[in-house]
Amino acid sequence: MDTANPSSVVWRGPEACALIAAIAPEPAVAVDTREDAPDAALYPGEDEIVARAVPSRRLEFATARSCARQAMARLGAEPAAIPQGVRGDPLWPHGLVGSITHCAGYRGAVLGRVGQVVTIGIDSEPNKPLPEGVLDAISLPRERAMVSELLAGDPATRWDRLLFCAKEAVYKAWYPLAGCWLGFDDAVVSMDPEAGAFTAQLRVAGPEVHGRALTGFSGRWLVHDGLLLTAIVLPERAPVRIPPCRPGSRSTESIR
């Protein structure tokens, strides 16, 4: 990776349609890839984030940020550095909101303009079972019952990991608004297998959005070629007022 000469990386051509675009509605813009770009560049302030990482981790990090910079360009914004907040959250240039994800075999970003989009949360996971014990750690009893029923009807879709994927998207959409952790048991997720959609009902007080307290999120999901993808895009309709948020706790990895 050439950190001295940062540039956007195009690996499928500007006309290529992102896979996650199917579940991340306009006015958001999506860019993704199934392959790392070997010449993906890191901008100043980004290299230090993965300075101690193994080469493969550095490459996926750089490729995901290149996706984000392509999305910036498609929004008409100047591609810029994306440093990291104290919780590992991407710090977007002024006027933009977005979310980044990367997992084995996938890197992607979805961005929108402030004034058009309030917040975005995306996540990706392999369509494989969660490790033993993880489902119990990240879900409520009613969610585990839902997963069991869905797996009985469609075992090819790993509903346990899709639940985790949805909760990660919820957290990524929540954090920029609230500025604090949201525990896995602080939102209950319901899956709609027919519509390819999910809802997350908050079990804690949320920030005020569109003139009323945020009580939950709606999102969409996709299963494709060994991948699970989830996306939340909350469009803007009115100013957002953020109240003080209680301290929280969370035991999984930081926002990607």
Side-chain angles (χ1 to χ4, degrees):
M1 291 171 289
D2 179 11
T3 59
N5 182 29
S7 60
S8 294
V9 177
V10 178
W11 41 85
R12 293 185 301 180
E15 74 287 350
C17 181
L19 179 62
I20 202 168
I23 57 171
E26 295 181 349
V29 172
V31 177
D32 63 13
T33 181
R34 300 298 302 270
E35 298 179 356
D36 283 321
D39 56 346
L42 291 173
Y43 278 39
E46 295 176 343
D47 189 68
E48 60 194 47
I49 300 172
V50 286
R52 298 182 180 180
V54 298
S56 59
R57 162 63 178 160
R58 287 173 58 85
L59 186 55
E60 73 177 44
F61 179 91
T63 300
R65 271 164 165 70
S66 289
C67 286
R69 279 188 270 275
Q70 286 194 62
M72 289 179 196
R74 294 183 189 184
L75 285 169
E78 188 71 23
I82 309 165
Q84 190 167 275
V86 294
R87 299 294 188 182
D89 49 310
L91 299 180
W92 300 103
H94 179 72
L96 298 178
V97 295
S99 187
I100 295 175
T101 185
H102 40 86
C103 72
Y106 183 83
R107 293 83 170 90
V110 177
L111 275 67
R113 283 196 170 276
V114 172
Q116 296 181 330
V117 178
V118 176
T119 192
I120 297 172
I122 66 170
D123 197 57
S124 58
E125 295 287 335
N127 188 22
K128 297 179 180 180
L130 285 173
E132 185 176 355
V134 173
L135 180 61
D136 288 343
I138 62 97
S139 65
L140 296 160
R142 74 182 87 173
E143 293 172 328
R144 291 192 288 275
M146 174 189 68
V147 166
S148 179
E149 181 178 347
L150 290 170
L151 280 172
D154 177 16
T157 298
R158 290 309 313 185
W159 297 96
D160 51 343
R161 195 178 286 264
L162 184 58
L163 174 65
F164 174 80
C165 194
K167 290 206 170 193
E168 288 293 288
V170 168
Y171 180 68
K172 292 178 181 181
W174 158 274
Y175 187 80
L177 299 179
C180 64
W181 296 116
L182 185 73
F184 282 112
D185 59 353
D186 287 336
V188 57
V189 170
S190 298
M191 294 285 183
D192 185 336
E194 298 299 325
F198 67 91
T199 59
Q201 186 71 27
L202 293 173
R203 303 175 73 216
V204 296
E208 191 169 302
V209 178
H210 301 157
R212 64 182 63 184
L214 182 69
T215 59
F217 294 96
S218 297
R220 299 174 65 190
W221 56 266
L222 178 69
V223 182
H224 179 82
D225 194 22
L227 287 174
L228 304 172
L229 301 174
T230 54
I232 295 168
V233 178
L234 181 60
E236 180 67 275
R237 298 188 188 94
V240 178
R241 294 189 293 277
I242 309 300
C245 182
R246 64 168 176 79
S249 62
R250 187 173 169 85
S251 59
T252 59
E253 62 185 325
S254 59
I255 300 175
R256 293 182 293 185

